Amino acid sequence: FSVHLQIVRISNDDGSEMANISPDDVIRQVNFANDLLASSSIRFVFDPQTDVDLAQSSVIANMLTPDNPDWQAGMEAGDAIAAKYPGKITVLVRSKPILEPTQSAGFLWWDYNFAIVSLTQTQTCAQQDNSIILHALGHYLGLGNTYPEAYADADAAAAAYEESGYSLSAFDGD
């Protein structure tokens, strides 16, 4: 089962703050996703020659959460971009952080026609995070986060581990 991806780098209306993701970055993340999902027979397809585009949209570049007044405008703008790529999952990539509170609405579910990625969080536990696109695709497909809390860095996770009495169950679902 192949799923074709369209990557759209988002900037503000004036072209500033363009998401800086390279085709090699996308290939690395798609390969990671495909390796992880190999046993499920799901394969993501990405062609760096044809599957990268640019779009200027301050409303998308600055979207926060559903309680933000510009949320609906951002969803509509994202859906309009995604409509240009029928038969593909459109992944909007932006530079600004995405507020994704655990266990609450945000950039997840299937009520819009695109996945959205922020490039501000490219490391997890002090290592390159190759799961950013896969994480966003999971949200696009309706999956929420499985972990109870996101830690800013390894020190914060270590402190939580210590506070739990050194119980690994504190990280269940992660």
Side-chain angles (χ1 to χ4, degrees), residues 102-142:
T102 56
Q103 307 305 325
S104 70
F107 291 100
L108 68 115
W109 224 241
W110 56 79
D111 57 349
Y112 45 90
N113 299 318
F114 57 90
I116 191 161
V117 174
S118 174
L119 294 179
T120 58
Q121 298 168 317
T122 59
Q123 289 200 339
T124 300
C125 296
Q127 295 184 7
Q128 176 65 38
D129 184 355
N130 290 320
S131 70
I132 297 168
I133 289 176
L134 182 58
H135 184 105
L137 290 169
H139 286 327
Y140 169 81
L141 295 170

mmCIF file of all heavy atoms in Angstrom, residues 102-142:
data_model
loop_
_atom_site.group_PDB
_atom_site.id
_atom_site.type_symbol
_atom_site.label_atom_id
_atom_site.label_comp_id
_atom_site.label_asym_id
_atom_site.label_seq_id
_atom_site.Cartn_x
_atom_site.Cartn_y
_atom_site.Cartn_z
ATOM 1 N N THR A 102 -0.469 17.689 24.957
ATOM 2 C CA THR A 102 -0.822 16.274 24.954
ATOM 3 C C THR A 102 -2.274 16.089 25.353
ATOM 4 O O THR A 102 -2.818 16.831 26.158
ATOM 5 C CB THR A 102 0.081 15.476 25.914
ATOM 6 O OG1 THR A 102 -0.015 16.047 27.215
ATOM 7 C CG2 THR A 102 1.513 15.488 25.453
ATOM 8 N N GLN A 103 -2.884 15.118 24.738
ATOM 9 C CA GLN A 103 -4.264 14.719 25.015
ATOM 10 C C GLN A 103 -5.283 15.839 24.790
ATOM 11 O O GLN A 103 -6.314 15.879 25.427
ATOM 12 C CB GLN A 103 -4.388 14.181 26.448
ATOM 13 C CG GLN A 103 -3.410 13.092 26.786
ATOM 14 C CD GLN A 103 -3.455 11.911 25.810
ATOM 15 O OE1 GLN A 103 -4.503 11.563 25.323
ATOM 16 N NE2 GLN A 103 -2.309 11.322 25.521
ATOM 17 N N SER A 104 -4.991 16.770 23.917
ATOM 18 C CA SER A 104 -6.002 17.778 23.600
ATOM 19 C C SER A 104 -5.958 18.065 22.113
ATOM 20 O O SER A 104 -5.063 17.641 21.418
ATOM 21 C CB SER A 104 -5.750 19.060 24.388
ATOM 22 O OG SER A 104 -4.597 19.711 23.932
ATOM 23 N N ALA A 105 -6.931 18.784 21.659
ATOM 24 C CA ALA A 105 -6.993 19.101 20.239
ATOM 25 C C ALA A 105 -5.820 19.985 19.860
ATOM 26 O O ALA A 105 -5.282 20.722 20.648
ATOM 27 C CB ALA A 105 -8.308 19.803 19.925
ATOM 28 N N GLY A 106 -5.453 19.904 18.680
ATOM 29 C CA GLY A 106 -4.355 20.682 18.129
ATOM 30 C C GLY A 106 -4.249 20.257 16.692
ATOM 31 O O GLY A 106 -5.251 20.149 16.007
ATOM 32 N N PHE A 107 -3.065 19.982 16.235
ATOM 33 C CA PHE A 107 -2.886 19.558 14.859
ATOM 34 C C PHE A 107 -3.041 18.049 14.759
ATOM 35 O O PHE A 107 -2.102 17.339 14.459
ATOM 36 C CB PHE A 107 -1.518 19.999 14.354
ATOM 37 C CG PHE A 107 -1.418 21.476 14.184
ATOM 38 C CD1 PHE A 107 -0.812 22.260 15.139
ATOM 39 C CD2 PHE A 107 -1.961 22.085 13.074
ATOM 40 C CE1 PHE A 107 -0.730 23.628 14.981
ATOM 41 C CE2 PHE A 107 -1.883 23.453 12.913
ATOM 42 C CZ PHE A 107 -1.272 24.227 13.873
ATOM 43 N N LEU A 108 -4.218 17.570 15.055
ATOM 44 C CA LEU A 108 -4.461 16.161 14.864
ATOM 45 C C LEU A 108 -5.927 15.919 14.553
ATOM 46 O O LEU A 108 -6.787 16.699 14.897
ATOM 47 C CB LEU A 108 -4.048 15.343 16.096
ATOM 48 C CG LEU A 108 -4.858 15.529 17.370
ATOM 49 C CD1 LEU A 108 -5.571 14.227 17.687
ATOM 50 C CD2 LEU A 108 -3.926 15.889 18.502
ATOM 51 N N TRP A 109 -6.140 14.881 13.871
ATOM 52 C CA TRP A 109 -7.419 14.317 13.483
ATOM 53 C C TRP A 109 -7.582 14.431 11.994
ATOM 54 O O TRP A 109 -6.711 14.901 11.283
ATOM 55 C CB TRP A 109 -8.591 14.933 14.249
ATOM 56 C CG TRP A 109 -9.536 13.845 14.687
ATOM 57 C CD1 TRP A 109 -10.847 13.722 14.319
ATOM 58 C CD2 TRP A 109 -9.255 12.741 15.544
ATOM 59 N NE1 TRP A 109 -11.394 12.606 14.908
ATOM 60 C CE2 TRP A 109 -10.437 11.982 15.653
ATOM 61 C CE3 TRP A 109 -8.121 12.295 16.204
ATOM 62 C CZ2 TRP A 109 -10.517 10.824 16.402
ATOM 63 C CZ3 TRP A 109 -8.192 11.148 16.958
ATOM 64 C CH2 TRP A 109 -9.388 10.428 17.057
ATOM 65 N N TRP A 110 -8.697 13.969 11.481
ATOM 66 C CA TRP A 110 -8.890 13.906 10.042
ATOM 67 C C TRP A 110 -9.865 14.969 9.539
ATOM 68 O O TRP A 110 -10.398 14.852 8.457
ATOM 69 C CB TRP A 110 -9.376 12.507 9.644
ATOM 70 C CG TRP A 110 -10.616 12.104 10.357
ATOM 71 C CD1 TRP A 110 -11.883 12.499 10.066
ATOM 72 C CD2 TRP A 110 -10.708 11.256 11.486
ATOM 73 N NE1 TRP A 110 -12.762 11.940 10.952
ATOM 74 C CE2 TRP A 110 -12.072 11.167 11.838
ATOM 75 C CE3 TRP A 110 -9.781 10.549 12.241
ATOM 76 C CZ2 TRP A 110 -12.514 10.408 12.905
ATOM 77 C CZ3 TRP A 110 -10.241 9.800 13.295
ATOM 78 C CH2 TRP A 110 -11.578 9.736 13.613
ATOM 79 N N ASP A 111 -10.088 16.015 10.305
ATOM 80 C CA ASP A 111 -11.047 17.019 9.875
ATOM 81 C C ASP A 111 -10.421 18.119 9.026
ATOM 82 O O ASP A 111 -11.049 19.121 8.753
ATOM 83 C CB ASP A 111 -11.816 17.605 11.058
ATOM 84 C CG ASP A 111 -10.921 18.220 12.117
ATOM 85 O OD1 ASP A 111 -9.704 18.017 12.056
ATOM 86 O OD2 ASP A 111 -11.466 18.885 13.006
ATOM 87 N N TYR A 112 -9.201 17.927 8.599
ATOM 88 C CA TYR A 112 -8.591 18.778 7.590
ATOM 89 C C TYR A 112 -7.772 17.881 6.681
ATOM 90 O O TYR A 112 -7.513 16.722 6.994
ATOM 91 C CB TYR A 112 -7.774 19.924 8.193
ATOM 92 C CG TYR A 112 -6.858 19.549 9.333
ATOM 93 C CD1 TYR A 112 -5.553 19.153 9.088
ATOM 94 C CD2 TYR A 112 -7.289 19.615 10.655
ATOM 95 C CE1 TYR A 112 -4.709 18.823 10.126
ATOM 96 C CE2 TYR A 112 -6.451 19.277 11.697
ATOM 97 C CZ TYR A 112 -5.162 18.890 11.433
ATOM 98 O OH TYR A 112 -4.325 18.550 12.453
ATOM 99 N N ASN A 113 -7.372 18.414 5.534
ATOM 100 C CA ASN A 113 -6.832 17.578 4.462
ATOM 101 C C ASN A 113 -5.319 17.654 4.292
ATOM 102 O O ASN A 113 -4.817 17.472 3.187
ATOM 103 C CB ASN A 113 -7.514 17.961 3.143
ATOM 104 C CG ASN A 113 -9.008 17.720 3.220
ATOM 105 O OD1 ASN A 113 -9.444 16.707 3.751
ATOM 106 N ND2 ASN A 113 -9.790 18.653 2.728
ATOM 107 N N PHE A 114 -4.613 17.890 5.370
ATOM 108 C CA PHE A 114 -3.156 17.996 5.296
ATOM 109 C C PHE A 114 -2.557 17.604 6.638
ATOM 110 O O PHE A 114 -3.230 17.622 7.659
ATOM 111 C CB PHE A 114 -2.738 19.420 4.929
ATOM 112 C CG PHE A 114 -3.262 20.455 5.889
ATOM 113 C CD1 PHE A 114 -2.534 20.823 7.007
ATOM 114 C CD2 PHE A 114 -4.496 21.050 5.687
ATOM 115 C CE1 PHE A 114 -3.024 21.764 7.911
ATOM 116 C CE2 PHE A 114 -4.995 21.996 6.574
ATOM 117 C CZ PHE A 114 -4.250 22.346 7.692
ATOM 118 N N ALA A 115 -1.292 17.265 6.590
ATOM 119 C CA ALA A 115 -0.496 17.095 7.809
ATOM 120 C C ALA A 115 0.347 18.358 7.933
ATOM 121 O O ALA A 115 0.640 19.022 6.936
ATOM 122 C CB ALA A 115 0.390 15.862 7.697
ATOM 123 N N ILE A 116 0.747 18.693 9.140
ATOM 124 C CA ILE A 116 1.560 19.896 9.336
ATOM 125 C C ILE A 116 2.735 19.579 10.245
ATOM 126 O O ILE A 116 2.605 18.839 11.217
ATOM 127 C CB ILE A 116 0.712 21.077 9.866
ATOM 128 C CG1 ILE A 116 1.497 22.382 9.801
ATOM 129 C CG2 ILE A 116 0.136 20.784 11.227
ATOM 130 C CD1 ILE A 116 0.648 23.627 9.871
ATOM 131 N N VAL A 117 3.894 20.115 9.865
ATOM 132 C CA VAL A 117 5.152 19.823 10.545
ATOM 133 C C VAL A 117 5.842 21.134 10.897
ATOM 134 O O VAL A 117 5.834 22.080 10.118
ATOM 135 C CB VAL A 117 6.091 19.009 9.625
ATOM 136 C CG1 VAL A 117 7.446 18.818 10.234
ATOM 137 C CG2 VAL A 117 5.471 17.669 9.287
ATOM 138 N N SER A 118 6.447 21.150 12.060
ATOM 139 C CA SER A 118 7.291 22.279 12.458
ATOM 140 C C SER A 118 8.730 21.803 12.488
ATOM 141 O O SER A 118 9.021 20.711 12.963
ATOM 142 C CB SER A 118 6.895 22.763 13.847
ATOM 143 O OG SER A 118 7.796 23.749 14.281
ATOM 144 N N LEU A 119 9.611 22.623 11.977
ATOM 145 C CA LEU A 119 11.026 22.244 11.956
ATOM 146 C C LEU A 119 11.785 22.733 13.178
ATOM 147 O O LEU A 119 12.993 22.591 13.248
ATOM 148 C CB LEU A 119 11.695 22.793 10.700
ATOM 149 C CG LEU A 119 11.176 22.188 9.411
ATOM 150 C CD1 LEU A 119 11.881 22.797 8.221
ATOM 151 C CD2 LEU A 119 11.356 20.686 9.413
ATOM 152 N N THR A 120 11.096 23.283 14.155
ATOM 153 C CA THR A 120 11.811 23.803 15.319
ATOM 154 C C THR A 120 12.245 22.699 16.259
ATOM 155 O O THR A 120 13.149 22.889 17.052
ATOM 156 C CB THR A 120 10.928 24.793 16.106
ATOM 157 O OG1 THR A 120 9.743 24.119 16.495
ATOM 158 C CG2 THR A 120 10.614 26.005 15.265
ATOM 159 N N GLN A 121 11.613 21.549 16.180
ATOM 160 C CA GLN A 121 11.961 20.450 17.069
ATOM 161 C C GLN A 121 12.540 19.317 16.232
ATOM 162 O O GLN A 121 11.842 18.410 15.826
ATOM 163 C CB GLN A 121 10.731 19.973 17.831
ATOM 164 C CG GLN A 121 10.169 21.059 18.713
ATOM 165 C CD GLN A 121 8.802 20.694 19.237
ATOM 166 O OE1 GLN A 121 7.972 20.190 18.515
ATOM 167 N NE2 GLN A 121 8.585 20.961 20.508
ATOM 168 N N THR A 122 13.836 19.386 15.951
ATOM 169 C CA THR A 122 14.456 18.367 15.118
ATOM 170 C C THR A 122 15.289 17.390 15.920
ATOM 171 O O THR A 122 15.881 16.490 15.357
ATOM 172 C CB THR A 122 15.343 19.009 14.035
ATOM 173 O OG1 THR A 122 16.346 19.802 14.670
ATOM 174 C CG2 THR A 122 14.521 19.862 13.091
ATOM 175 N N GLN A 123 15.337 17.583 17.235
ATOM 176 C CA GLN A 123 16.084 16.658 18.079
ATOM 177 C C GLN A 123 15.185 16.140 19.189
ATOM 178 O O GLN A 123 14.357 16.861 19.726
ATOM 179 C CB GLN A 123 17.307 17.329 18.698
ATOM 180 C CG GLN A 123 18.387 17.621 17.685
ATOM 181 C CD GLN A 123 19.731 17.806 18.356
ATOM 182 O OE1 GLN A 123 19.826 18.094 19.527
ATOM 183 N NE2 GLN A 123 20.778 17.649 17.592
ATOM 184 N N THR A 124 15.358 14.862 19.498
ATOM 185 C CA THR A 124 14.682 14.233 20.620
ATOM 186 C C THR A 124 15.742 13.506 21.417
ATOM 187 O O THR A 124 16.531 12.741 20.854
ATOM 188 C CB THR A 124 13.612 13.239 20.127
ATOM 189 O OG1 THR A 124 12.664 13.962 19.342
ATOM 190 C CG2 THR A 124 12.905 12.579 21.287
ATOM 191 N N CYS A 125 15.778 13.764 22.706
ATOM 192 C CA CYS A 125 16.775 13.144 23.580
ATOM 193 C C CYS A 125 18.176 13.361 23.028
ATOM 194 O O CYS A 125 19.002 12.446 22.976
ATOM 195 C CB CYS A 125 16.482 11.666 23.784
ATOM 196 S SG CYS A 125 14.926 11.376 24.651
ATOM 197 N N ALA A 126 18.444 14.581 22.583
ATOM 198 C CA ALA A 126 19.748 15.016 22.092
ATOM 199 C C ALA A 126 20.207 14.259 20.846
ATOM 200 O O ALA A 126 21.382 14.220 20.536
ATOM 201 C CB ALA A 126 20.799 14.925 23.185
ATOM 202 N N GLN A 127 19.280 13.682 20.102
ATOM 203 C CA GLN A 127 19.620 13.001 18.856
ATOM 204 C C GLN A 127 18.707 13.507 17.745
ATOM 205 O O GLN A 127 17.595 13.954 18.005
ATOM 206 C CB GLN A 127 19.451 11.493 19.005
ATOM 207 C CG GLN A 127 20.416 10.892 19.992
ATOM 208 C CD GLN A 127 20.289 9.383 20.044
ATOM 209 O OE1 GLN A 127 19.577 8.775 19.254
ATOM 210 N NE2 GLN A 127 20.979 8.762 20.974
ATOM 211 N N GLN A 128 19.183 13.404 16.499
ATOM 212 C CA GLN A 128 18.385 13.797 15.346
ATOM 213 C C GLN A 128 17.055 13.041 15.372
ATOM 214 O O GLN A 128 17.037 11.824 15.516
ATOM 215 C CB GLN A 128 19.136 13.487 14.048
ATOM 216 C CG GLN A 128 18.361 13.780 12.785
ATOM 217 C CD GLN A 128 18.048 15.243 12.592
ATOM 218 O OE1 GLN A 128 18.862 16.099 12.897
ATOM 219 N NE2 GLN A 128 16.872 15.545 12.108
ATOM 220 N N ASP A 129 15.962 13.764 15.255
ATOM 221 C CA ASP A 129 14.637 13.146 15.244
ATOM 222 C C ASP A 129 14.198 12.972 13.796
ATOM 223 O O ASP A 129 13.866 13.940 13.121
ATOM 224 C CB ASP A 129 13.642 14.014 16.005
ATOM 225 C CG ASP A 129 12.277 13.368 16.118
ATOM 226 O OD1 ASP A 129 12.069 12.294 15.530
ATOM 227 O OD2 ASP A 129 11.420 13.942 16.799
ATOM 228 N N ASN A 130 14.202 11.732 13.338
ATOM 229 C CA ASN A 130 13.782 11.434 11.974
ATOM 230 C C ASN A 130 12.313 11.053 11.896
ATOM 231 O O ASN A 130 11.853 10.563 10.876
ATOM 232 C CB ASN A 130 14.640 10.301 11.398
ATOM 233 C CG ASN A 130 16.055 10.756 11.148
ATOM 234 O OD1 ASN A 130 16.282 11.868 10.688
ATOM 235 N ND2 ASN A 130 17.011 9.919 11.475
ATOM 236 N N SER A 131 11.575 11.277 12.987
ATOM 237 C CA SER A 131 10.174 10.873 13.016
ATOM 238 C C SER A 131 9.200 12.038 12.879
ATOM 239 O O SER A 131 7.998 11.842 13.005
ATOM 240 C CB SER A 131 9.878 10.123 14.319
ATOM 241 O OG SER A 131 9.924 11.015 15.423
ATOM 242 N N ILE A 132 9.682 13.236 12.596
ATOM 243 C CA ILE A 132 8.806 14.411 12.588
ATOM 244 C C ILE A 132 7.684 14.271 11.569
ATOM 245 O O ILE A 132 6.512 14.508 11.878
ATOM 246 C CB ILE A 132 9.620 15.695 12.334
ATOM 247 C CG1 ILE A 132 10.613 15.916 13.478
ATOM 248 C CG2 ILE A 132 8.721 16.897 12.170
ATOM 249 C CD1 ILE A 132 11.642 16.980 13.199
ATOM 250 N N ILE A 133 8.013 13.873 10.354
ATOM 251 C CA ILE A 133 6.979 13.731 9.328
ATOM 252 C C ILE A 133 6.054 12.573 9.677
ATOM 253 O O ILE A 133 4.834 12.691 9.567
ATOM 254 C CB ILE A 133 7.603 13.589 7.928
ATOM 255 C CG1 ILE A 133 8.210 14.942 7.505
ATOM 256 C CG2 ILE A 133 6.577 13.112 6.904
ATOM 257 C CD1 ILE A 133 8.955 14.923 6.188
ATOM 258 N N LEU A 134 6.597 11.459 10.126
ATOM 259 C CA LEU A 134 5.769 10.318 10.509
ATOM 260 C C LEU A 134 4.826 10.698 11.657
ATOM 261 O O LEU A 134 3.652 10.332 11.651
ATOM 262 C CB LEU A 134 6.638 9.127 10.901
ATOM 263 C CG LEU A 134 5.890 7.850 11.277
ATOM 264 C CD1 LEU A 134 4.993 7.378 10.140
ATOM 265 C CD2 LEU A 134 6.880 6.769 11.674
ATOM 266 N N HIS A 135 5.319 11.463 12.615
ATOM 267 C CA HIS A 135 4.495 11.928 13.736
ATOM 268 C C HIS A 135 3.299 12.739 13.203
ATOM 269 O O HIS A 135 2.153 12.517 13.591
ATOM 270 C CB HIS A 135 5.367 12.772 14.672
ATOM 271 C CG HIS A 135 4.680 13.224 15.908
ATOM 272 N ND1 HIS A 135 4.918 12.664 17.139
ATOM 273 C CD2 HIS A 135 3.767 14.204 16.129
ATOM 274 C CE1 HIS A 135 4.186 13.266 18.055
ATOM 275 N NE2 HIS A 135 3.477 14.216 17.467
ATOM 276 N N ALA A 136 3.586 13.668 12.289
ATOM 277 C CA ALA A 136 2.514 14.503 11.721
ATOM 278 C C ALA A 136 1.531 13.662 10.912
ATOM 279 O O ALA A 136 0.324 13.897 10.957
ATOM 280 C CB ALA A 136 3.116 15.596 10.850
ATOM 281 N N LEU A 137 2.037 12.673 10.177
ATOM 282 C CA LEU A 137 1.154 11.800 9.405
ATOM 283 C C LEU A 137 0.251 10.987 10.335
ATOM 284 O O LEU A 137 -0.915 10.750 10.025
ATOM 285 C CB LEU A 137 1.964 10.877 8.499
ATOM 286 C CG LEU A 137 2.650 11.584 7.324
ATOM 287 C CD1 LEU A 137 3.647 10.648 6.651
ATOM 288 C CD2 LEU A 137 1.630 12.126 6.337
ATOM 289 N N GLY A 138 0.781 10.575 11.467
ATOM 290 C CA GLY A 138 -0.046 9.874 12.453
ATOM 291 C C GLY A 138 -1.197 10.744 12.919
ATOM 292 O O GLY A 138 -2.343 10.292 13.012
ATOM 293 N N HIS A 139 -0.909 12.022 13.195
ATOM 294 C CA HIS A 139 -1.978 12.944 13.586
ATOM 295 C C HIS A 139 -2.978 13.117 12.445
ATOM 296 O O HIS A 139 -4.190 13.138 12.664
ATOM 297 C CB HIS A 139 -1.411 14.297 13.999
ATOM 298 C CG HIS A 139 -0.752 14.289 15.337
ATOM 299 N ND1 HIS A 139 -1.152 13.497 16.386
ATOM 300 C CD2 HIS A 139 0.307 14.997 15.800
ATOM 301 C CE1 HIS A 139 -0.388 13.710 17.433
ATOM 302 N NE2 HIS A 139 0.513 14.614 17.105
ATOM 303 N N TYR A 140 -2.464 13.268 11.221
ATOM 304 C CA TYR A 140 -3.342 13.407 10.057
ATOM 305 C C TYR A 140 -4.301 12.222 9.962
ATOM 306 O O TYR A 140 -5.474 12.368 9.601
ATOM 307 C CB TYR A 140 -2.496 13.510 8.790
ATOM 308 C CG TYR A 140 -3.295 13.388 7.518
ATOM 309 C CD1 TYR A 140 -3.988 14.484 7.002
ATOM 310 C CD2 TYR A 140 -3.371 12.183 6.832
ATOM 311 C CE1 TYR A 140 -4.735 14.372 5.837
ATOM 312 C CE2 TYR A 140 -4.108 12.067 5.669
ATOM 313 C CZ TYR A 140 -4.783 13.158 5.175
ATOM 314 O OH TYR A 140 -5.524 13.046 4.033
ATOM 315 N N LEU A 141 -3.810 11.033 10.298
ATOM 316 C CA LEU A 141 -4.622 9.830 10.224
ATOM 317 C C LEU A 141 -5.495 9.618 11.463
ATOM 318 O O LEU A 141 -6.175 8.610 11.588
ATOM 319 C CB LEU A 141 -3.717 8.615 9.991
ATOM 320 C CG LEU A 141 -2.994 8.638 8.643
ATOM 321 C CD1 LEU A 141 -1.937 7.552 8.591
ATOM 322 C CD2 LEU A 141 -3.986 8.518 7.488
ATOM 323 N N GLY A 142 -5.451 10.586 12.392
ATOM 324 C CA GLY A 142 -6.345 10.541 13.537
ATOM 325 C C GLY A 142 -5.749 9.992 14.806
ATOM 326 O O GLY A 142 -6.464 9.783 15.782
#
